[in-house]
Amino acid sequence: MTEFNTLDDFDFRGKTVLLRVDINCPLNKDTLDITDDNRIQQILPTLKELMHKGAKVAILAHQGRPGDWDFIPLDRHAKDLSKLLGKEVKYLDDLLGKTALDAIRSIPSWEVIMLKNVRELPYEQDKKTMEEHAKMDLVTTLSPLFDIYVNDAFGASHRSQCSLVGFQAVLPSAAGRLMEKELKALGQVFSNPARPSVFILGGAKFGESVKVVERLIGKKIADWVIIVGVTGNAFLKARGVKLGAPSEELLAKEMTPEDLEAAKKLLLEKGEKILLPCDVAVEVDCRRRDLLVGDLPQNHPVLDIGRASIEKFSRVIAGAGTVFMSGPAGMIEKEPFTLGTKDLMLAATHSKAFTVIGGGHTASAAEKFGLFHKFSYVSTGGGALETYLLGKPLPVVEALKAAKNRKCPPK
Ligand code: 3PG
Ligand code: MG
């Protein structure tokens, strides 16, 4: 029994279902084509199950943010989804107008339609409670037309936005299969990980990483924390390593003095559980050169962890019971500097550990290296995963729990 309803808790036959998903995808800036449709692929199990059970489904989703170049309508997403599903998903360029309302009223059983990008609504992104959102016309107009609200938008579950938490206040609500799967996999890693548990944190979000490391070690979730990428450089700096001007300048933009102090304190108090690179790769005349940390500073940018670090970390990963990785170890856009990320992923996938990776760049890197399907689980979360890593509640999950407690009777 979960704290929220799932697809197992309702009879969907003949029911009209509003399905909120996160199919916010990376796009090609010139053509606006979807460059990675993983999030669309991941909603298929829920969608197929709802259709198979005889539901009439309307999909609600967003892409980009108003004012940004990737804020586009969802017709491309509907086309992509139709191809994956082998069945047409009719796209409506309308949300609350007569066209949309008529279409929702007449969805045939076993059919799916997709509504307009919900962020067209000026209030959609307001951060409010579920009760406050339930008063907005998105919820008051659409909820009478639906029997059940299903939320499968794990990737947006850290947002307390209208379409994500408002319907749970008024409609019987359930989590979709992706939401369930994400929470189960993350629960397995963070609640009761098989030991030894190894967490590899990379990427550039240094301030957040300090808090995550504090939590992982403080709550004894992690046996080892391996820190790589720009964050690894920042921790090296906190340990007193002089990296050289190009990397120091980049770090100055990423870290506040408070973050640096927090990292120093963490290294002092919990340093024995934190593994930092012993060597790094810099770019010299367009080529990779590995250097021991002791040979720094150098006037070249640090773009990856070095080979000795890869070897050292791979040994730790090989003996792990759980491996979690979020954030790349180096510059994954530039060839010789993909090595650290790729080899740490290889070590994880060759181990017997339960392996989970997440974060936009990490999942795309795994895809690029052909390793995506070798992990036990790949999370669709970026910001949602960061929120989870910090141990903060996810508003969408909280709203789903509240809907279950309210025991809203099926219509
Ligand atoms: C994401 O990709 O982070 C989610 O779709 C939420 O989008 P947002 O960060 O623009 O709110
Ligand atoms: Mg985001």
Side-chain angles (χ1 to χ4, degrees), residues 227-238:
I227 308 180
V228 291
V230 177
T231 302
N233 294 346
F235 270 87
L236 285 174
K237 183 178 165 70

Side-chain angles (χ1 to χ4, degrees), residues 269-321:
E269 291 170 1
K270 311 260 166 46
E272 74 282 358
K273 293 200 176 288
I274 300 174
L275 304 179
L276 298 185
C278 56
D279 64 344
V280 295
V282 296
E283 184 172 34
V284 185
D285 299 331
C286 299
R287 301 181 65 166
R288 176 183 171 115
R289 184 187 291 169
D290 284 28
L291 289 170
L292 288 173
V293 163
D295 291 334
L296 295 173
Q298 290 271 331
N299 211 21
H300 305 286
V302 172
L303 298 182
D304 194 12
I305 55 172
R307 287 181 172 83
S309 306
I310 294 173
E311 236 186 273
K312 176 175 96 168
F313 296 154
S314 296
R315 275 199 298 274
V316 176
I317 293 167

Side-chain angles (χ1 to χ4, degrees), residues 378-389:
V378 179
S379 175
T380 56
L385 193 60
E386 284 164 22
T387 307
Y388 188 97
L389 285 174

Side-chain angles (χ1 to χ4, degrees), residues 55 97 157-158 210 249 256 287 290 319 343 371 373:
S157 61
H158 58 312
V210 174
E249 278 160 23
T256 64
R287 301 181 65 166
D290 284 28
D343 280 7
L371 295 171
H373 296 285

Side-chain angles (χ1 to χ4, degrees), residues 129-315:
T129 64
M130 54 193 286
E131 290 77 18
E132 286 166 339
H133 278 313
K135 293 182 193 138
M136 305 310 289
D137 63 349
L138 173 69
V139 180
T140 56
T141 309
L142 292 188
S143 57
L145 306 184
F146 289 95
D147 299 299
I148 302 166
Y149 171 80
V150 175
N151 193 311
D152 214 14
F154 175 78
S157 61
H158 58 312
R159 302 287 186 216
S160 191
Q161 296 176 352
C162 190
S163 68
L164 289 157
V165 302
F167 290 96
Q168 288 92 324
V170 292
L171 280 176
S173 302
R177 294 301 183 202
L178 176 62
M179 182 71 81
E180 259 189 284
K181 233 168 45 173
E182 293 270 8
L183 296 171
K184 189 169 168 226
L186 294 175
Q188 203 170 328
V189 171
F190 290 88
S191 299
N192 189 18
R195 306 285 172 168
S197 57
V198 179
F199 291 75
I200 309 162
L201 302 177
K205 292 191 178 161
F206 172 65
E208 231 156 58
S209 299
V210 174
K211 295 190 188 82
V212 171
V213 179
E214 255 165 15
R215 177 168 176 264
L216 291 177
I217 299 178
K219 295 216 172 287
K220 300 193 169 28
I221 301 168
D223 293 314
W224 298 107
V225 181
I226 294 173
I227 308 180
V228 291
V230 177
T231 302
N233 294 346
F235 270 87
L236 285 174
K237 183 178 165 70
R239 190 168 268 177
V241 173
K242 301 231 173 325
L243 296 155
S247 296
E248 300 266 353
E249 278 160 23
L250 180 78
L251 283 183
K253 285 189 216 144
E254 300 288 338
M255 59 176 18
T256 64
E258 293 78 37
D259 290 335
L260 190 62
E261 281 316 305
K264 281 184 186 166
K265 188 163 173 274
L266 196 58
L267 286 169
L268 214 63
E269 291 170 1
K270 311 260 166 46
E272 74 282 358
K273 293 200 176 288
I274 300 174
L275 304 179
L276 298 185
C278 56
D279 64 344
V280 295
V282 296
E283 184 172 34
V284 185
D285 299 331
C286 299
R287 301 181 65 166
R288 176 183 171 115
R289 184 187 291 169
D290 284 28
L291 289 170
L292 288 173
V293 163
D295 291 334
L296 295 173
Q298 290 271 331
N299 211 21
H300 305 286
V302 172
L303 298 182
D304 194 12
I305 55 172
R307 287 181 172 83
S309 306
I310 294 173
E311 236 186 273
K312 176 175 96 168
F313 296 154
S314 296
R315 275 199 298 274

